[in-house]
Amino acid sequence: MGTGSTGPRLPAVVRHLIPTIAGLPLGPLLTLSLRSLAGRQPRLFERLGEHRSACYFIDPIDLAFAFTVIPDGERSVVRVVRKSETATSSVVIRGPLLTLLSLLDGTLDGDALFFSRVISISGRTEAVLALRNTVEDAELRPADLLGLRGALAGLVDTGILGALGVVRQMADLNSRSKAPEA
Amino acid sequence: MTSGRMELVCPAGTPATLRAAVQAGADAVYCGFRDETNARNFPGLNFSGEELAEGVRFARDHGSKVLVAINTFARVNDVALWKKAADTAAECGANAIIAADIAVLDHVAKNHKQIRLHLSVQAAAATPEAIGFHANSFGVRRVVLPRVLSIQEIAALNRAIDVETEAFVFGGLCVMIEGRCYLSSYATGKSPNLNGVCSPPEMVSYDEETNGTAARLSGFTIDRYEPGEPVGYPTLCKGKFKAGGKTSYLFEDPVSLNAGGMLAGLKAAGVTALKIEGRQRGKGYVTEVVRAFRKAVDAVEQGGDAIEIDRILAGQSEGARQTTGAYKKKWR
């Protein structure tokens, strides 16, 4: 389904940092992170059932690249791919990066974003639903993905979520300044 | 049956939503197992036995109850899965089992006398005779009322029965006589009453076409949306079809139930519990709706007037189109 995306877009200052991030081995790092999470919280992946072997193509529309994710527990694989490489995917999910991150941390409601077309989804609806319900129940924090615990986890969560909050505010201000007067 | 303080019964599709509902003020939370024994059998939703046991402990620690829906109808010669679900719910310490199938009710009545039995809306019991049969035969303590009764009918029913009644007040609306819907099984081979899925997602597609998006179920076009127009999940009863040369929502407009303004009326009619629909909804939605209804129910219990109740629930009527359903007779 096509996106008429109205979600907050990445501010220019953040977008300029992305080529630097893209130079990092993001795929292997995210793969490692997901496999490590599966080792610590196997129950989280059980909720996906048969859909843990599905290939999810996740396309943040304000980035120059996309990801494919096979969330198969300790056999999970994340790859950074070109935006055209959708052929082997079970599901394609498109939307602004900040909106997709909000789905991950539970800030926004996936149903509302889909039905209002802020994010777009095509492919196997049942796999999307399984992923949505799994992410919804997981209540993931940045420290969970990084495998951190204790005081350090608290510090990292505060830092990353705080930074994300600032970026969201910048994006909101940016979109408001571009909106036509009512 | 007359009631004291009305109980707020809230949905939980996942353990995270259960915790959210309890923390938002639910008196009781209802949920189901991750299989076809409950009427919300969707991918990624529902509880394992272990998760239910943890949920029951969490709810109990916070002064709430857990009601387990085992409310689909068992297959011929294959009731074992439903009996096992009831056994697990009892082992986990659930406060009640919500069931409709006589085989399940009978199993719980004979083997788990300590657990309350609630008659599911799937049983479509709407007469004193039907309710009396279930109460006398299986010791049913509460009946979840079908969404086809007016407040006057509920009041009359409550005067004639001696079990508690639970009424839906918010969320999705089934237009059919509940427990007897064949629309989904006609189109997909899967039934809400037998398999627990109305419009199974593996048969749902959203197809981009020149004139917009077509939402389809098993190849049947259920609705079309203009580019940029908000879309809906395609269920047959809320689809737009052509009949007699006219295109319309043939069975039911895609509206949701909101009986928030009728809480005092439902209390006066003798209703014991108020139910919020939406086990497939996220914890953000559940938190917001439960919090609002918690305040509204408390206000009703303290004798608050209709204006105050409307003000509390005002945020819940924005956006989606809503109806008071059959509670006001004209809806039929």
Side-chain angles (χ1 to χ4, degrees):
Chain A
M1 200 176 83
T3 178
S5 185
T6 54
R9 304 300 174 92
L10 276 180
V13 64
V14 180
R15 265 201 320 273
H16 288 143
L17 296 173
I18 298 296
T20 315
I21 298 169
L24 295 171
L26 269 184
L29 284 173
L30 290 169
T31 296
L32 196 64
S33 162
L34 215 51
R35 289 181 180 184
S36 163
L37 179 67
R40 296 190 308 277
Q41 298 185 40
R43 217 164 71 176
L44 193 156
F45 290 80
E46 284 167 19
R47 186 165 286 281
L48 280 165
E50 64 188 270
H51 306 294
R52 56 194 290 163
S53 58
C55 180
Y56 295 86
F57 185 92
I58 298 172
D59 180 6
I61 57 174
D62 32 16
L63 295 187
F65 52 88
F67 302 90
T68 57
V69 182
I70 301 173
D72 193 7
E74 294 189 71
R75 292 191 297 271
S76 295
V77 179
V78 182
R79 290 173 56 226
V80 175
V81 295
R82 282 194 290 273
K83 286 181 178 279
S84 57
E85 290 183 48
T86 57
T88 56
S89 302
S90 323
V91 168
V92 176
I93 302 172
R94 288 200 167 93
L97 178 65
L98 290 175
T99 305
L100 295 173
L101 288 173
S102 301
L103 288 177
L104 203 59
D105 69 15
T107 314
L108 296 175
D109 179 67
D111 281 357
L113 293 172
F114 168 63
F115 290 130
S116 61
R117 304 208 199 199
V118 175
I119 58 171
S120 78
I121 287 160
S122 58
R124 287 167 47 196
T125 309
E126 70 276 25
V128 178
L129 204 56
L131 180 67
R132 178 262 188 194
N133 288 329
T134 299
V135 169
E136 171 82 20
D137 187 53
E139 300 186 303
L140 288 174
R141 314 276 298 174
D144 296 321
L145 291 167
L146 296 170
L148 303 174
R149 288 183 182 188
L152 182 60
L155 279 174
V156 167
D157 282 344
T158 307
I160 293 180
L161 293 176
L164 258 180
V166 170
V167 174
R168 280 190 187 115
Q169 280 177 357
M170 288 166 66
D172 283 345
L173 282 173
N174 197 27
S175 60
R176 257 182 248 153
S177 68
K178 285 180 182 165
E181 281 187 47
Chain B
M1 188 176 183
T2 54
S3 58
R5 182 177 175 275
M6 288 191 293
E7 187 177 299
L8 188 58
V9 181
C10 305
T14 62
T17 314
L18 181 148
R19 293 190 293 272
V22 166
Q23 285 166 336
D27 293 310
V29 171
Y30 65 101
C31 55
F33 289 115
R34 213 177 293 162
D35 55 35
E36 60 196 284
T37 61
N38 84 92
R40 284 288 181 276
N41 179 23
F42 286 95
L45 216 58
N46 297 318
F47 290 62
S48 65
E50 196 183 339
E51 288 168 341
L52 180 66
E54 288 170 9
V56 169
R57 279 196 293 275
F58 181 88
R60 191 173 294 155
D61 289 348
H62 290 77
S64 300
K65 298 172 192 159
V66 173
L67 323 177
V68 180
I70 306 172
N71 59 345
T72 48
F73 291 86
R75 284 186 298 267
V76 175
N77 294 330
D78 189 15
V79 76
L81 182 67
W82 281 259
K83 286 181 176 176
K84 183 172 175 289
D87 296 343
T88 307
E91 284 163 20
C92 291
N95 298 85
I97 287 174
I98 309 167
D101 190 316
I102 285 174
V104 180
L105 292 164
D106 183 60
H107 176 76
V108 177
K110 283 180 178 158
N111 297 286
H112 303 293
K113 293 185 191 305
Q114 81 285 6
I115 199 164
R116 280 171 64 100
L117 260 178
H118 292 184
L119 190 62
S120 169
V121 68
Q122 294 284 316
T127 60
E129 290 79 3
I131 294 166
F133 166 77
H134 289 94
N136 295 333
S137 305
F138 310 113
V140 162
R141 308 270 294 275
R142 178 183 296 179
V143 57
V144 184
L145 296 173
R147 285 163 277 195
V148 294
L149 299 173
S150 67
I151 286 202
Q152 290 78 8
E153 287 171 323
I154 293 173
L157 191 61
N158 272 324
R159 285 194 293 272
I161 62 176
D162 59 3
V163 300
E164 301 166 358
T165 51
E166 181 173 304
F168 279 94
V169 287
F170 196 81
L173 200 54
C174 256
V175 72
M176 296 297 162
I177 295 180
E178 287 162 292
R180 299 170 204 173
C181 177
Y182 295 98
L183 278 176
S184 179
S185 54
Y186 171 76
T188 70
K190 285 194 174 177
S191 144
N193 313 121
L194 298 174
N195 309 98
V197 276
C198 172
S199 296
E202 66 270 24
M203 293 179 192
V204 167
S205 66
Y206 293 91
D207 303 318
E208 282 305 313
E209 297 176 350
T210 49
N211 53 352
T213 305
R216 293 196 167 93
L217 178 67
S218 198
F220 293 98
T221 305
I222 306 296
D223 213 337
R224 288 182 190 279
Y225 304 92
E226 299 286 325
E229 185 187 359
V231 298
Y233 192 83
T235 50
L236 269 166
C237 63
K238 296 180 178 73
K240 201 186 277 177
F241 304 105
K242 189 181 278 185
K246 190 180 157 194
T247 301
S248 66
Y249 292 108
L250 203 57
F251 301 104
E252 181 191 2
D253 278 340
V255 295
S256 293
L257 175 69
N258 186 353
M262 311 181 83
L263 300 183
L266 289 166
K267 182 175 174 61
V271 167
T272 299
L274 304 167
K275 185 168 210 156
I276 294 170
E277 187 274 348
R279 277 193 284 149
Q280 72 282 25
R281 303 302 298 263
K283 55 184 180 291
Y285 168 90
V286 168
T287 299
E288 189 186 332
V289 173
V290 173
R291 203 172 276 156
F293 270 85
R294 174 76 277 153
K295 281 187 193 165
V297 171
D298 289 347
V300 168
E301 294 295 348
Q302 287 157 19
D305 60 21
I307 295 169
E308 184 189 353
I309 309 301
D310 284 349
R311 185 182 52 74
I312 292 170
L313 293 173
Q316 307 309 313
S317 57
E318 289 167 4
R321 293 169 59 206
Q322 296 183 326
T323 174
T324 52
Y327 293 134
K328 284 186 179 170
K329 193 75 174 180
K330 62 183 181 183
W331 180 71
R332 278 188 205 172

